Amino acid sequence: MSTKPVVVYGASGYTGRLVCEYLREYGIPFVAAGRDAAKIKASMEANVPGIETADYEIVEVEHEVGALTELFRGASVVSNMVGPFSKYGPEVVEACLAAGTHYLDTTGEQDWLITCDERYGADFAAAGLLLSPGVAHMYTTGEIAAELCLEQPGLDTLDIAVFWGGSPTIASTLTILVNAATSKAYHLQQNSYVEFAPDQGLMPLVVPGQHELAQSLPWGGTSHPVWYRRDPRVASVKAQGGVFNPALMTGVPQIVAQALEATKDMSPQDRDAALTEVAAQVMNVMPPRENPRLNKSLDSVHASGPLGRAHCVIHGNQNYKQTGLLQAYVAHSLLQQPPRRVGFASASQAVGHRELLGQLQAFGLVGEPVITRQGR
């Protein structure tokens, strides 16, 4: 049973330790949990600045509903960093529901969001709990930009682009491959999911602030179409994303295509093992700590309606640190007051997009949004 209000499950990973770093900055006691206590201890001591001043404990736990439920009892919020979430998420969500805790994660797996919405959302709502997957830069910062556009009434279509500087982590590389092999990617068209063409490939996008076109991918469809599917303001959502590095973007679809071809006739178990091996060949070391001069981010949203237009651009830096901060602030908010919406909901729907924006700005991770409007 937890003696701290927040549990970070998967705390030894790149993103998990950033969540712990920001929980420390908010002064929130936490449990750093995972399957290897020694690994967590080494990661906390080596990678979390100021950890000696944090109020935390380390707990080793088996990835099983019963063991996780026992750990989560007594906590208020669980921040889950253990992916791929479509594979490892159900046990954590079910344990949160059994223990009576709010659930957050950083997923970019659209199929996992749909599962959370359709399988678990009603039960969390009935229990007065928040189920909020996808609290991360690649989804939440773009959603903040979308919400700023939607403050103008009469806009019903969102065209979202998310870019960042840097490279994927070990865990996110594996997730990209598993997601591509096991699920489809959707955009939202007139309130219905429509599949992206599997062979679409790279698409050039105009990126505000530079002359060079950037290369983008559907990136699994992203979270945005799922979050807005039941929003009465919005009918259609399409999101594309990528890294600023052209060579890396060119390589991603090639690596994915080769991995899918090599594993197409395998059993699920053999396929997962093969994809894990491929992911390790692509990225088998933790990326370095982010540098704000190098690791920049950009979120651009065009919102349109029959007679109106709005465009919001948010320039930022250190997308993984944005993720750590967003996770910590949502937890902080949930410890202070009930969420604005229970059940399946995004971070903006649960705690407010302007509140989230204010925190990102306060910590120097994003600049002032650049908003242009027509038709109002």
Side-chain angles (χ1 to χ4, degrees):
M1 181 173 178
S2 175
T3 60
K4 312 293 184 185
V6 176
V7 176
V8 181
Y9 182 48
S12 64
Y14 189 89
T15 308
R17 63 203 198 198
L18 288 170
V19 177
C20 294
E21 180 177 329
Y22 281 106
L23 288 172
R24 170 199 166 271
E25 295 206 16
Y26 279 107
I28 299 173
F30 63 91
V31 171
R35 289 166 285 188
D36 186 334
K39 185 177 180 181
I40 297 170
K41 183 175 186 296
S43 183
M44 291 295 105
E45 293 176 352
N47 299 299
V48 181
I51 191 64
E52 69 279 359
T53 65
D55 181 359
Y56 78 106
E57 62 179 301
I58 294 171
V59 175
E60 185 172 292
V61 62
E62 182 182 356
H63 187 81
E64 183 271 325
V65 175
L68 291 169
T69 300
E70 180 58 29
L71 170 61
F72 297 164
R73 290 192 194 282
S76 296
V77 183
V78 170
S79 179
N80 181 23
M81 304 290 113
V82 178
F85 295 93
S86 57
K87 182 176 182 179
Y88 297 111
E91 292 89 344
V92 188
V93 167
E94 291 167 17
C96 284
L97 188 59
T101 63
H102 300 297
Y103 174 90
L104 312 175
D105 73 31
T106 60
T107 191
E109 301 160 55
Q110 194 179 72
D111 60 327
W112 172 238
L113 273 102
I114 293 172
T115 296
C116 286
D117 182 17
E118 297 180 353
R119 184 184 302 177
Y120 301 113
D123 290 338
F124 269 73
L129 298 171
L130 175 65
L131 173 62
S132 191
V135 181
H137 158 258
M138 191 173 174
Y139 318 103
T140 306
T141 310
E143 186 199 11
I144 293 168
E147 288 294 321
L148 291 171
C149 289
L150 291 170
E151 289 178 355
Q152 177 177 335
L155 307 181
D156 60 17
T157 299
L158 299 174
D159 177 2
I160 301 172
V162 179
F163 284 88
W164 65 99
S167 59
T169 63
I170 298 171
S172 61
T173 301
L174 176 59
T175 297
I176 291 168
L177 295 176
V178 171
N179 198 231
T182 60
S183 62
K184 298 178 180 180
Y186 298 100
H187 58 93
L188 194 68
Q189 185 172 311
Q190 297 302 310
N191 302 113
S192 296
Y193 292 131
V194 176
E195 184 183 357
F196 276 98
D199 58 352
Q200 172 188 293
L202 291 168
M203 177 180 291
L205 287 186
V206 175
V207 177
Q210 67 180 47
H211 293 109
E212 183 180 356
L213 292 175
Q215 299 298 317
S216 70
L217 289 167
W219 225 262
T222 78
S223 304
H224 309 95
V226 187
W227 286 335
Y228 283 108
R229 187 166 72 93
R230 295 193 181 95
D231 190 317
R233 301 170 298 174
V234 177
S236 300
V237 181
K238 182 178 285 187
Q240 297 266 143
V243 296
F244 288 116
N245 185 330
L248 181 56
M249 279 303 296
T250 301
V252 169
Q254 296 174 355
I255 294 167
V256 170
Q258 292 168 4
L260 297 185
E261 178 63 25
T263 59
K264 65 181 181 180
D265 297 322
M266 292 183 179
S267 68
Q269 184 175 359
D270 290 342
R271 180 200 63 214
D272 288 353
L275 292 176
T276 299
E277 184 177 342
V278 172
Q281 293 170 1
V282 176
M283 175 62 71
N284 62 0
V285 296
M286 287 288 187
R289 188 172 175 84
E290 292 169 299
N291 181 334
R293 298 178 66 225
L294 302 176
N295 301 111
K296 300 175 183 178
S297 68
L298 181 142
D299 294 84
S300 175
V301 177
H302 286 281
S304 60
L307 296 175
R309 300 286 187 274
H311 182 209
C312 179
V313 180
I314 299 178
H315 294 279
N317 62 75
Q318 303 176 99
N319 54 291
Y320 283 104
K321 290 190 75 173
Q322 289 183 47
T323 297
L325 173 61
L326 289 165
Q327 286 278 324
Y329 178 70
V330 174
H332 172 70
S333 179
L334 292 171
L335 295 178
Q336 304 299 319
Q337 61 188 11
R340 299 181 182 186
R341 183 183 300 184
V342 294
F344 178 80
S346 70
S348 290
Q349 292 164 345
V351 306
H353 64 283
R354 285 197 170 270
E355 286 75 6
L356 294 170
L357 173 63
Q359 294 301 307
L360 290 170
Q361 291 180 307
F363 282 83
L365 296 175
V366 303
E368 184 67 22
V370 181
I371 305 173
T372 56
R373 301 188 187 275
Q374 299 173 345
R376 63 176 302 178

